Every structure is written in C-alpha cells, then in structure tokens.
Amino acid sequence: MKSFTILIAILTLTACATGSNPDAKKANARKATSEALTEIYTDHPAARSAVARGKGYLVCTGSDSYLFAASTGGGICTFHTGSKVDYYRFASLGAGVGIGFKKVAFLYVFQTNAAMKRFVDDSWDAGARAEASARHKDEGGQAAANASYDVDGVRIYQSAIWGAAAQATVQGYKFWRTDFTDDVIEHNE
C-alpha cells in the first residue's frame, strides 16, 4: 500500500511540465495551465471577471488519486502577478474515504494583497472536500461537484477535467516555487 502511494505521487509529479531543459518545462507548464484555465472559464464563467479584478492568480493542473483512506496528488502551477509569471509545483495529501483517479484544474484568485502575500509566504492550503465526479475528456458535460468558494481573500474555482472519483477527504496542498533547474525528473522530448 505504501509503495503504491509513493508510485502515484511520483507519477503525479512527473505528469506535467515535461521537457529536456528548464525553458521547455516552463513553456509546457504555461501551455498546460492555459488549457486548464480555459476549462475553468468554461465551467465557471464568473472566474474570468474575478481574474480581471484580482491582484493576481494561481492556476494549477495535475491529478488526484484516492485509495480507501488516503489520497495523493500533485502537478504544476503558474502564478500571475501583472505581467510576471512564476512557476510552482504542488503536492497534496489527504485522509478520509475515497476511490478513483482524476485530472484536476484549479484557480486561486487573490482578491487582496494580504491574501497573495500569505500564499507566497506560507504556500499551504487545507480544507475538507466531499464530491463524486466522473468526466471523460472527449465527452461533453460531466457529473462532478465543480466548486467555487471564497476563503479569506481568495476566490477558488476547481474543475474535474477527466477521470472518476468519489471521496470525502480532508486534504492539504503544499506549493513550492520552482524554476525547473533542479526538477525531480528530466524528460527528453
């Protein structure tokens, strides 16, 4: 069980931002998060105006897996403040009940400078999530609990891109800034 969880975590962290060098990884991260943002805008039309009014935003894409009492996940993010883009990786770990695997996208719109500073300084997010979702990339519509909510100056939007899962978990997310020079695994393209 422990080996399986570690394997899922490694696969999750290598799922995005592939490339043979840091510039290629940055380009692929921008492409993946841009596609994720398009998906979020489709599922949550109000997100577009929230981004336009916000102080900055973080858009992430990756995957979550749920196996009985544990959940793991991870992926990449782009953090936009004005014309500046920074790159982040994220990992998640949770406890609760669940089974399944899904590709996810989420957007944090920072409505205040204080909320943005908190993210940069702390880089943590935790919360309870309960949902059932099913979506296939090539099929329109989904049965999912796509959500949007406000948490202390941050507007959060999330979408399931594909996969199927049912879970009730308390999940924590850790974000860390990267320039992809010391990335976990190098991929050649």
Side-chain angles (χ1 to χ4, degrees), residues 84-112:
K84 184 179 176 194
V85 177
D86 290 315
Y87 301 88
Y88 280 77
R89 287 243 184 226
F90 76 89
S92 67
L93 184 61
V97 179
I99 190 159
F101 180 84
K102 65 183 178 179
K103 183 172 180 182
V104 296
F106 54 92
L107 169 67
Y108 288 20
V109 180
F110 300 98
Q111 299 170 322
T112 66

Side-chain angles (χ1 to χ4, degrees), residues 24-189:
K25 288 181 181 195
K26 288 177 183 178
N28 287 330
R30 285 190 306 272
K31 181 178 185 273
T33 58
S34 177
E35 290 168 356
L37 188 59
T38 298
E39 188 70 37
I40 291 166
Y41 285 162
T42 299
D43 291 342
H44 305 281
R48 189 179 304 274
S49 61
V51 165
R53 290 188 316 268
K55 303 294 183 183
Y57 65 96
L58 177 82
V59 59
C60 303
T61 187
S63 58
D64 284 333
S65 62
Y66 306 91
L67 186 60
F68 307 116
S71 65
T72 61
I76 50 99
C77 309
T78 51
F79 182 47
H80 304 260
T81 52
S83 61
K84 184 179 176 194
V85 177
D86 290 315
Y87 301 88
Y88 280 77
R89 287 243 184 226
F90 76 89
S92 67
L93 184 61
V97 179
I99 190 159
F101 180 84
K102 65 183 178 179
K103 183 172 180 182
V104 296
F106 54 92
L107 169 67
Y108 288 20
V109 180
F110 300 98
Q111 299 170 322
T112 66
N113 288 328
M116 197 161 48
K117 182 175 178 356
R118 244 187 354 266
F119 170 78
V120 171
D121 292 347
D122 298 337
S123 299
W124 281 98
D125 176 33
R129 290 167 175 74
E131 68 179 70
S133 64
R135 183 171 190 168
H136 185 272
K137 187 176 182 177
D138 298 330
E139 296 175 5
Q142 69 178 325
N146 286 336
S148 66
Y149 43 93
D150 288 304
V151 179
D152 204 18
V154 183
R155 183 82 178 153
I156 302 170
Y157 301 89
Q158 62 185 30
S159 294
I161 297 175
W162 62 261
Q167 86 274 358
T169 58
V170 175
Q171 194 126 349
Y173 288 84
K174 173 63 178 158
F175 300 89
W176 64 95
R177 193 171 174 188
T178 183
D179 64 4
F180 297 114
T181 56
D182 294 322
D183 214 16
V184 177
I185 292 179
E186 295 288 330
H187 292 281
N188 293 322
E189 291 188 339

